[in-house]
Amino acid sequence: MRRHDHQTTQADLTAGAVLAPYLQDQAAEFLRSLRLHRENSAPTDAGSHGAEEAAGALRRSSRRIGGTLHTFRAALDATWAEQLRTELAWLSGTLAREHAYATRLNRLLEALHALSGTSLPTARNGSDGATDKERAALGVGAARAGALLERQLTLARTRAHSAALQALGSSRFHAVADAVALLASEVPLAPAAAAPAEEMLHGPADRAEQQLLGAVAALPSGQAVEPYNEAQDAPWHRTRLLLRLHRYAHEVVRGAPDPVLAAPGHALDLHRDASEAAAAAASAARTPRIAPATAYALGVLHADQRHEVTAARGVFRTSWPYAAAVIAP
Amino acid sequence: MRRHDHQTTQADLTAGAVLAPYLQDQAAEFLRSLRLHRENSAPTDAGSHGAEEAAGALRRSSRRIGGTLHTFRAALDATWAEQLRTELAWLSGTLAREHAYATRLNRLLEALHALSGTSLPTARNGSDGATDKERAALGVGAARAGALLERQLTLARTRAHSAALQALGSSRFHAVADAVALLASEVPLAPAAAAPAEEMLHGPADRAEQQLLGAVAALPSGQAVEPYNEAQDAPWHRTRLLLRLHRYAHEVVRGAPDPVLAAPGHALDLHRDASEAAAAAASAARTPRIAPATAYALGVLHADQRHEVTAARGVFRTSWPYAAAVIAP
C-alpha cells in the first residue's frame, strides 16, 4: 500500500468536506464542457475538433463523478448516488463510442500502412518467386482492406455521432444535466459524511486499491499467453476499469492521481485499443464477397493487432510498480 | 575473444596432425551415413525415417568438411580443397531441401492449429456479432489454408526428395563420394601444414570468430526492427552461416564446439525457419482463386511467423554471450 507511506493531509476534515469540493469541481467541469460542446457541435458533420475535445472533457468528468459516487457511496445519499451513477455511465458510454470508432480506424490504417511493405520483401527474399504483378496484387489487398475498414468504421462512427447528438437532446440527458447542475451547488451527503475523512473515505479508497491489486495478481502469467485467445482479454479490461476507479479514489483522498500508475494505466488503454482493433479487422474479414487479397491483408492486420495486445501486457507488467505482479512479461 | 582464456592443448602438434584426424573422422562419418542412406532409401515414398536420419548425418559431415576446407585452406591443397568444398555445398544444399519443406509444413500446420481459435474469441468478445455460421466459416478458412499448404509443401517436398535421390545417383555425386573416400584415408595437406597448429590454425580460427563478431555487431538494433521488412532477414541468415563456420573451426582447434554459442545458434535456426515459413504462407496466399477465408487465415499465419522471426532475434540477443552485441532485444 503506497498510500501508507504518505502523510494524509485531511486528518482533521470531515468526509463531506473532502468529498463535496471534489464532486462540485467535477460537476462544474461537466457543465463547462457541456456548454463548449453545444457551441462547437454541428449536427451535420461528424464532430468538429472543438466538439470532440468537449465530448472528451464531458466523458472525463462523468467518469470521475460516477466513480466517486460508487466508491464513496457510504458517505452519500445512496439512492441518489446509485441513480446518478447509472445515468452518467449511460452518458459517457454513449459519448465514448464515436471517439472509439475514430481511434480504431486511425490505429488500423496506421498499422496497415506499416504492414503494406509485407509482400515486397517476401518477394525479395527469393525463397518464393513473387513477380511484380503478385506484389502489386498484395499492395492492392492492403489498400482495399484500408478502404473497407474506412467505409465500415466511418459509417459506425457517423451513426455513433448521431446517437450521441440524439442522446444530448433527449429528456433523459436533460435530467442528468439538471442533477449535475444541482450537484455543482449542493452535494447530497449522508449523515455519515460528518465523520472524519480518515474514517469514512480511506477505508473505501483502500478497498478500491485492494480490488485493483487482486485483479492484477489474478492476471494470467506471461507464459500462459495465447496471443489469439481473445477471451483472455476480459480480465485485462476489468483491471483497466479497476485501475481507473482507484485513480479517482486517489484523486479524492490525496488530491491528485497516483503518478506510479500512469504508465500501467496507459498500457491497459493500449491493450483495450489493440484488442478492439483486432476484432474490427476480423469482423471486416467476414464481409461477404471481398477479394482474397483483401482478406489476406485483414488477416495480417488482425494478427498484428493481437501481437500489440500481447506487447501491451508486457509493458503493463514491466511498468507495474507493485512487487505482487512482477510476473515475467 | 573467449578462446584466449583457454590453454591450448595442441601447442606441440603440427597443423596437419590436428587437421587430418578431424577431416578423416568427418569423412568416415560421411561414408557411414551414405551407406545407411542407401540401406534405408525407397525411391517410391518420400524418405523413411532411417533415410531422413542418414541424410541429416550426411549433411552434417558435408558441412563440417566443407567448412574446415574453407577456414583452413592455407594448410591444405588449395585447388583440391576449393573444388571439394563447392561439391559438398552442392550436395548438402540438395539434401537440405527435402528436410526444409518437411520442417516448414510442420511449423505452419502447428501454428495454424494454435491460431485456429482466433475467430471464436473475436465473436465472443461481443464488440462484433459473429454468428456461429461466421465462426464456422473462419474455422473452415484455417482448415482450408492448412490443406492448401499441405498440398503445396508436400508436392515441393516430394520433388526435393526425387531431386535428392537423382543427385545421389549422379556421376557428380559419385565423384564427391570418391573424393571423400580418399580423404578418409589420406588428407591432401599443403607443405605449410608441417608448421605448428598454433601458428597455422589459430589465425584462421580467430578470423572466423572475428567475422562472426563483426556480423553480429552490424545487426540492426531491436528498436530498428520492422517485423514485416523481410529484407532485414538477410544479415541474420548470414550471421547464422558465420556462426556455423566458427563452430566448426572451434571443433577443429579445441576438439569440441563452443558451448556458449549453442543457444544463439539455435535462435538463428528458428529465425531462419520462421522467416521461410512466413514466406511460404505469403506465397500460398498468392494461389489464384482461393476463398477469402483461406486468404485471411494465411494472412494471420504470415504475420504470426513474422512475429516468431522478431521473437527469435530477441532470444538471440539475450543469449549472445559477448558484450559487443548486448543490444536491447
Side-chain angles (χ1 to χ4, degrees), chain A residues 125-141:
Chain A
N125 84 1
S127 78
D128 66 320
T131 68
D132 292 339
K133 207 171 108 289
E134 286 165 332
R135 260 178 266 156
L138 278 164
V140 167

Side-chain angles (χ1 to χ4, degrees), chain A residues 227-289:
Chain A
Y228 297 94
N229 182 347
E230 290 167 33
Q232 285 185 347
D233 298 357
W236 293 87
H237 296 329
R238 186 169 161 277
T239 303
R240 180 174 162 273
L241 299 180
L242 289 172
L243 190 144
R244 197 190 254 174
L245 277 176
H246 167 64
R247 181 195 300 137
Y248 302 152
H250 201 278
E251 280 180 12
V252 170
V253 174
R254 300 269 151 232
D258 190 347
V260 300
L261 292 181
H266 181 63
L268 291 176
D269 292 342
L270 287 179
H271 178 276
R272 192 266 323 259
D273 292 347
S275 163
E276 293 183 343
S283 149
R286 289 190 290 265
T287 309
R289 288 178 305 282

